[in-house]
Amino acid sequence: MSKVICIMGESGSGKTTSMRNLDPKSTYYIDADKKGLSWKGWRKQYNKENKNYLACDDANIVRQYIKRIAEACSGVKVIVVDTVNGLMVADEMRRSKEKGYDKWVDLAACVWDLVCEAYTYRDDLTIIFTAHTQTDHDEAGYMFTRIKTSGKKLDKICLESKFTTVLLSKCVDGAYKFETQANNSTAKSPMGAFDQMEIDNDIVEVMKALEDY
């Protein structure tokens, strides 16, 4: 059973940058937003020549790549999908002229199946999904931050329920951090995995902590 992690946050909160310390030799990066990565020198680390980078927003193709990598590329220990929203929005736009409820069911099923399938691969593989967030406000002023989804079907399903670890990426006073537990959000992590409510924005350290746990 592979390990699956979700990093959620607003644009510019440090989701992509948190991947900076991953080893490119054992990491495959799927750039679903097709915007490139966010640290200096990434093009030398992740590219087609190194066979560790794919810019693709088609969820079905992404599923095929993950399956192929998991089954045939034992040297790859980490797969990053950045972001799951890039897949959702692209699918929605490709089907923008379609009407009816079935389109939203198909969209929800596509994303749901992608995440569920991620758990079925080899034990030494970690799959990391990043996701944009939205913050809802009620009439009393209560705020709650969760993964942003396309269509009400995924809202009802609650995508966070498929992850054991959901970290909220944020920038506070110029410092980039991960929030490890719910604080007006859907952030969560295994009890006792992290000593602090906020930790440094580094996915490698997160993976070490979860491995030790």
Side-chain angles (χ1 to χ4, degrees):
M1 183 178 181
S2 46
K3 295 171 282 292
V4 183
I5 302 170
C6 179
I7 305 296
M8 66 175 183
E10 294 292 335
S11 179
S13 64
K15 297 186 300 297
T16 301
T17 307
S18 71
M19 310 296 164
R20 65 195 179 279
N21 291 326
L22 288 169
D23 184 358
K25 293 180 180 179
S26 59
T27 302
Y28 196 98
Y29 211 104
I30 299 176
D31 182 4
D33 287 345
K34 297 183 176 180
K35 62 176 177 55
L37 310 187
S38 54
W39 61 86
K40 185 177 181 180
W42 74 267
R43 293 180 187 278
K44 293 182 180 179
Q45 296 176 327
Y46 296 97
N47 51 61
K48 291 183 179 179
E49 289 71 26
N50 290 341
K51 298 180 180 180
N52 64 356
Y53 177 81
L54 172 71
C56 178
D57 60 13
D58 188 314
N60 290 318
I61 294 176
V62 168
R63 282 180 69 184
Q64 293 170 16
Y65 264 80
I66 292 175
K67 181 178 177 63
R68 191 182 311 159
I69 293 166
E71 294 178 349
C73 303
S74 59
V76 174
K77 305 301 183 183
V78 181
I79 300 174
V80 180
V81 180
D82 185 10
T83 62
V84 69
N85 301 86
L87 303 177
M88 288 189 280
V89 172
D91 192 20
E92 183 181 347
M93 291 299 101
R94 278 191 287 267
R95 304 178 63 172
S96 60
K97 294 183 179 180
E98 294 183 28
K99 299 185 182 299
Y101 182 69
D102 288 348
K103 177 176 76 171
W104 299 107
V105 173
D106 290 347
L107 172 61
C110 186
V111 174
W112 186 261
D113 291 346
L114 175 66
V115 175
C116 290
E117 200 171 86
Y119 285 92
T120 65
Y121 301 119
R122 50 188 163 86
D123 293 346
D124 65 343
L125 181 65
T126 299
I127 301 177
I128 304 165
F129 292 94
T130 69
H132 293 294
T133 54
Q134 67 182 57
T135 301
D136 299 324
H137 303 73
D138 64 16
E139 295 179 355
Y142 178 75
M143 297 188 301
F144 191 77
T145 300
R146 60 183 178 84
I147 293 176
K148 187 174 185 178
T149 55
S150 297
K152 293 182 179 180
K153 188 67 176 176
L154 273 173
D155 288 346
K156 293 178 180 177
I157 291 173
C158 184
L159 193 57
E160 288 92 336
S161 68
K162 288 307 301 176
F163 299 102
T164 302
T165 301
V166 180
L167 303 182
L168 177 63
S169 182
K170 61 182 184 179
C171 181
V172 180
D173 298 328
Y176 291 90
K177 298 288 184 177
F178 283 147
E179 194 171 281
T180 63
Q181 297 292 339
N183 181 21
N184 295 339
S185 74
T186 52
K188 60 181 179 178
S189 58
M191 184 180 294
F194 302 101
D195 296 331
Q196 299 174 314
M197 184 74 171
E198 293 183 355
I199 59 174
D200 289 338
N201 179 298
D202 186 346
I203 196 64
V204 172
E205 293 303 315
V206 169
M207 291 168 59
K208 287 179 180 177
L210 293 176
E211 185 68 28
D212 291 342
Y213 178 82

